[in-house]
Amino acid sequence: MSQRPDLRQRRAVLEHEWSRWVPRLSVPGARPGGTATLRHEVTESWARSLGSVDPGRDSAPVTDGGQVHQRWTSSPLYRPVSALAGELHSIAEDAGFVTAVTDESGTILWTCGGPTMRRQAERVNFAPGGRWDEQAMGTNALSLALRTGRPSSVFSAEHLVSALHGWVCYCAPVHGRDGRVLGVLDLSTTWDRSHPLAMSTVRTLVSSIEARLTTQEPGTGHLRLSCLGVERAVRDGRQLHLRPRQMEILVLLSLEPGGFSAERLRAALYGDRPVTSSTFKAEISHLRRALGGAISPRHYTLTDPVSCDAADVLRALEQGDTDTALRRYGGPLLPRSEAPGIEEWRTRIEVAVRDAVLASTRPEHALRYGERAPYDTEVHEHALRLLGPGDTRRAIARGRLATALRG
């Protein structure tokens, strides 16, 4: 069967661009004289992809508005990847790569890397929430690995989408204990940084992840944090008795699943206070023991699944669900804490909740929030504007407004 005109044209363009790099690089399948033989799996992927993907698109489509935190923390890959997070960060930052983990659908759930490479990757939405399956982004290493169940690399103009021609990607699928593909691990960088050891590195990392999948006990190690107006941590149904500083560390790690470098976490806890490195490390060690080792070394992240009322509120607000946000908002974040990182998150959450209330056209939102903000005249005035003349709840709003004005 003859190729379609668009596929023939695409192949010709690719062969021209591909041959430009062959004299400079050692490319498997290169012909003598500086031309390259296109791989069968690549041309087959183009043929499948051209019906659904425009090669001129500039970035990957978004899944769930990019809000995939809950999908990530409930993924079977969350714990083993988190346990290796320090090593993954180190590899990505030292070698100039972006590391990504997807689920079985090709949606990216987690990334790490240096700031420069991550900014470049974000331009094409190689970031959490981005869809990289074949139907969404055509020929790329992630989509090939998901389709074939085997390690894959795609270099420069082998990508269907032209915006990816400056990239090279190496990835391998992660298989569960039952043999099912759970997702892929990918190392990506610009074509000029390609390295012959990158694929073996990916294979080794995937083997480590799969080994941890085999040994981890499903359903154990789950953390539940209540930190809005209260301070409580529960692990596997048992309350943990933590010191205030340890609770601060736990909350910061739960709100930033990408984790912290030692320097950044120390600043978030102590600011400019002259605290010794040994004091900081001791707090981390005590918390790690309390959690059964569930904090990765070097780059600090939680390696057990975690749920947190503060994260629940932010997620609800991102989804436009003010009802759920107010139901779960129990008050200020760790109200006794003076840690700079906690104070920043406290303000961020309070402002986000209040703004959602003032933007709402439902009076019950202003009334509910007004219970926790007795001196917020703007909120009480907003409630009165929304309540009808005969609504008996106006008396509640008027009484609160009078109290706030007297205060």
Side-chain angles (χ1 to χ4, degrees):
M1 182 180 294
S2 62
Q3 291 179 316
R4 294 179 300 172
D6 56 353
L7 185 54
R8 286 201 304 270
Q9 182 181 13
R10 182 73 184 151
R11 183 186 180 102
V13 171
L14 179 71
E15 286 184 323
H16 172 70
E17 294 193 27
W18 184 233
S19 65
R20 293 166 56 201
W21 310 120
V22 173
R24 310 180 199 180
L25 301 167
S26 174
V27 180
R31 298 195 194 107
T35 60
T37 301
L38 300 177
R39 291 182 289 157
H40 183 63
E41 64 181 358
V42 171
T43 55
E44 280 196 332
S45 178
W46 297 341
R48 290 189 300 266
S49 305
L50 282 168
S52 62
V53 180
D54 177 6
R57 72 172 306 148
D58 58 4
S59 62
V62 178
T63 299
D64 296 337
Q67 306 306 317
V68 293
H69 173 72
Q70 190 166 9
R71 289 175 66 171
W72 175 227
T73 55
S74 61
S75 166
L77 299 180
Y78 175 77
R79 289 180 68 191
V81 170
S82 296
L84 291 171
E87 184 176 352
L88 292 170
H89 275 272
S90 178
I91 291 170
E93 293 174 10
D94 292 348
F97 280 80
V98 175
T99 302
V101 177
T102 79
D103 62 11
E104 71 282 1
S105 74
T107 298
I108 294 178
L109 301 181
W110 181 86
T111 63
C112 72
T116 300
M117 290 303 298
R118 289 186 71 175
R119 280 195 298 271
Q120 291 190 50
E122 287 165 1
R123 291 172 190 158
V124 293
N125 200 24
F126 194 76
R131 278 186 54 204
W132 287 79
D133 59 288
E134 197 170 75
Q135 288 293 309
M137 277 300 276
T139 307
N140 64 83
L142 293 91
S143 66
L144 285 178
L146 284 171
R147 186 175 184 87
T148 65
R150 300 189 304 272
S152 178
S153 64
V154 171
F155 181 86
S156 184
E158 282 190 312
H159 292 95
L160 179 79
V161 174
S162 300
L164 305 178
H165 287 185
W167 289 86
V168 57
C169 306
Y170 309 88
C171 69
V174 183
H175 294 87
R177 289 175 292 178
D178 58 358
R180 184 169 53 93
V181 173
L182 303 177
V184 300
L185 174 71
D186 177 280
L187 288 179
S188 290
T189 189
T190 52
W191 71 266
D192 55 312
R193 291 176 178 265
S194 61
H195 197 284
L197 295 179
M199 181 57 80
S200 63
T201 300
V202 169
R203 291 174 181 266
T204 300
L205 291 168
V206 165
S207 295
S208 296
I209 292 170
E210 290 176 341
R212 284 170 167 79
L213 281 167
T214 301
T215 57
Q216 73 180 13
E217 297 179 11
T220 65
H222 186 272
L223 285 166
R224 175 64 193 175
L225 303 182
S226 300
C227 49
L228 294 176
V230 295
E231 300 179 13
R232 184 168 62 252
V234 176
R235 182 171 186 262
D236 293 336
R238 179 177 61 86
Q239 183 167 347
L240 301 177
H241 299 286
L242 304 175
R243 295 198 294 264
R245 188 66 73 194
Q246 294 165 10
M247 190 68 180
E248 290 167 350
I249 296 169
L250 194 52
V251 169
L252 287 169
L253 293 178
S254 71
L255 288 173
E256 298 199 33
F260 288 80
S261 65
E263 180 181 355
R264 183 164 168 257
L265 182 56
R266 184 172 172 178
L269 292 170
Y270 304 108
D272 296 330
R273 291 173 53 197
V275 175
T276 65
S277 176
S278 59
T279 298
F280 167 67
K281 291 180 178 179
E283 294 287 5
I284 298 290
S285 296
H286 291 318
L287 180 58
R288 184 181 284 117
R289 283 198 294 272
L291 299 179
I295 298 178
S296 63
R298 295 183 62 187
H299 190 92
Y300 299 120
T301 58
L302 291 172
T303 61
D304 277 350
V306 59
S307 55
C308 172
D309 55 357
D312 293 342
V313 167
L314 290 170
R315 191 176 305 114
L317 292 175
E318 289 168 351
Q319 296 169 353
D321 187 356
T322 305
D323 263 345
T324 298
L326 286 173
R327 187 167 60 251
R328 298 185 179 180
Y329 182 68
L333 179 73
L334 296 185
R336 296 182 298 171
S337 173
E338 296 180 356
I342 295 294
E343 290 181 336
E344 181 180 338
W345 273 106
R346 182 188 301 145
T347 300
R348 191 184 308 183
I349 294 168
E350 288 177 347
V351 169
V353 172
R354 185 175 184 272
D355 285 353
V357 168
L358 293 175
S360 173
T361 58
R362 295 175 55 184
E364 54 267 31
H365 290 161
L367 288 170
R368 182 181 297 174
Y369 183 78
E371 293 177 10
R372 300 193 179 278
Y375 297 103
D376 195 326
T377 58
E378 188 176 1
V379 168
H380 305 320
E381 289 170 346
H382 183 59
L384 283 170
R385 283 194 297 270
L386 297 176
L387 291 165
D391 196 315
T392 57
R393 294 175 295 177
R394 288 182 63 86
I396 297 173
R398 279 199 303 267
R400 290 174 178 170
L401 179 59
T403 299
L405 291 171
R406 286 197 300 270

